[in-house]
Amino acid sequence: MAFGPYLLLATLEGLVQAAVLMLTALGLSLVFGVMRVVNVAHGEFYMLGAVVAWFVAAEFPGHPALGFAAALLVAPLVVGALALLAERAVLRRLNYDPEATIVATIGMLYILQQSVLILFGPDARPVQAPFSLRVQLPWFGYSGYNLFVIAAAFALVGLFWFVLTRTRIGLLMRATQFDRETAEAFAIPVGRVYAGVFAAGAMLAAVAAVLIVPIRQAHYLMGLDPLLLSFIVVIIGGLGSIRGTVIAALVIGLSDGIVSVFFSPTLAKMISTLAVALVLVFKPEGLFGVKAR
């Protein structure tokens, strides 16, 4: 096969990874940007979304599209509800202290991970794609579902941007992010905003997991790589920067897909780690972040 087909395949695979990574990293960036909380358990909310998707899809033995649609609706709601409970029971009691919340979310990570292991076991769980269409490209046929994942992720990112910049909910989030004390003085319910933001961040991770689980099976350890890649993305793009998160996710996802196809996945991870180190040395606030005043 010539160079062109390999490059096209690598680019498509990179776009699939970038699309899912955008949603996962946006959730992490949103929580930090508004709450100043580094959610170490974010990858486990992703994992939980995939496991709930498998559980729900298994309850629909008919056409796989029915099970997938139900999973896409139920999994984010379940994960969001658990995240809301965790915010109320743990983070709020710690008054969102940066150091204490890191330790607390590490605890959440192990609780969620081990709970899924006990309840569902160590085996990987497959979820059938809602359709099996193949799209004929110039050199080969490619999964229509993979293309759907890319389109759906970009549509959700556009919806997220619209909510954040064009709605009252987004205005409340941005006001709370800019100055918590001033927001409270203007009677903005900061506690409710924080709760909603933490739940929304977890739900974005869960949606990403539901989209990817027909391609990669649900497993109780699957949250580690998305968490690390999300941290890489938000560090490079700038913590709290939506534009930076999207651009960094595209760069990391595409480079990872292309380097993995032509060289090795290990080299792709090394390049990503090197990029983080360079950003931390020369621009610690990230490429699109704002320096703290």
Side-chain angles (χ1 to χ4, degrees):
M1 188 182 290
F3 175 77
Y6 278 114
L7 180 60
L8 178 58
L9 177 61
T11 301
L12 290 171
E13 292 298 309
L15 279 174
V16 172
Q17 178 165 327
V20 175
L21 186 55
M22 271 194 306
L23 295 177
T24 311
L26 274 177
L28 187 66
S29 182
L30 176 67
V31 170
F32 179 83
V34 176
M35 302 172 64
R36 301 301 174 193
V37 168
V38 178
N39 182 17
V40 184
H42 192 67
E44 302 317 305
F45 288 129
Y46 172 95
M47 176 273 294
L48 192 59
V51 172
V52 173
W54 163 79
F55 182 81
V56 172
E59 298 299 313
F60 290 83
H63 195 282
L66 296 176
F68 179 81
L72 194 57
L73 176 64
V74 173
L77 293 177
V78 171
V79 173
L82 286 175
L84 183 62
L85 178 63
E87 191 277 338
R88 292 294 179 94
V90 180
L91 301 185
R92 181 171 298 190
R93 293 178 181 272
L94 296 173
N95 198 30
Y96 311 105
D97 178 74
E99 290 79 11
T101 52
I102 289 177
V103 176
T105 54
I106 290 174
M108 290 182 200
L109 183 157
Y110 286 108
I111 290 172
L112 290 173
Q113 186 183 96
Q114 295 306 307
S115 296
V116 170
L117 174 61
I118 292 170
L119 291 173
F120 297 101
D123 297 331
R125 310 287 184 169
V127 173
Q128 190 174 353
F131 54 87
S132 57
L133 174 70
R134 294 193 68 81
V135 177
Q136 187 61 41
L137 299 176
W139 292 290
F140 52 80
Y142 190 70
S143 168
Y145 178 75
N146 285 20
L147 297 176
F148 165 77
V149 169
I150 296 170
F154 276 97
L156 288 171
V157 170
L159 177 62
F160 177 82
W161 175 85
F162 177 82
V163 170
L164 197 62
T165 61
R166 295 290 187 270
T167 66
R168 185 174 182 273
I169 294 175
L171 178 62
L172 295 178
M173 289 182 185
R174 288 183 283 120
T176 305
Q177 175 183 8
F178 184 75
D179 192 321
R180 174 180 174 179
E181 288 73 20
T182 303
E184 289 176 334
F186 279 90
I188 292 177
V190 172
R192 293 182 182 179
V193 172
Y194 279 3
V197 163
F198 195 74
M203 291 174 73
L204 280 170
V207 170
V210 176
L211 290 175
I212 201 64
V213 75
I215 302 173
R216 300 170 189 168
Q217 298 180 355
H219 189 264
Y220 81 103
L221 292 176
M222 70 182 294
L224 178 59
D225 279 350
L227 176 66
L228 294 177
L229 287 174
S230 294
F231 271 121
I232 288 173
V233 165
V234 296
I235 289 172
I236 292 176
L239 282 166
S241 170
I242 304 303
R243 178 181 60 166
T245 299
V246 171
I247 293 174
L250 285 172
V251 171
I252 294 298
L254 284 171
S255 63
D256 191 83
I258 292 172
V259 172
S260 296
V261 168
F262 286 100
F263 299 97
S264 73
T266 302
L267 179 60
K269 297 298 184 293
M270 290 173 61
I271 292 174
S272 299
T273 306
L274 178 61
V276 170
L278 291 174
V279 168
L280 289 175
V281 169
F282 295 105
K283 207 171 187 299
E285 70 276 11
L287 298 180
F288 297 92
V290 178
K291 290 184 178 180
R293 297 182 179 180

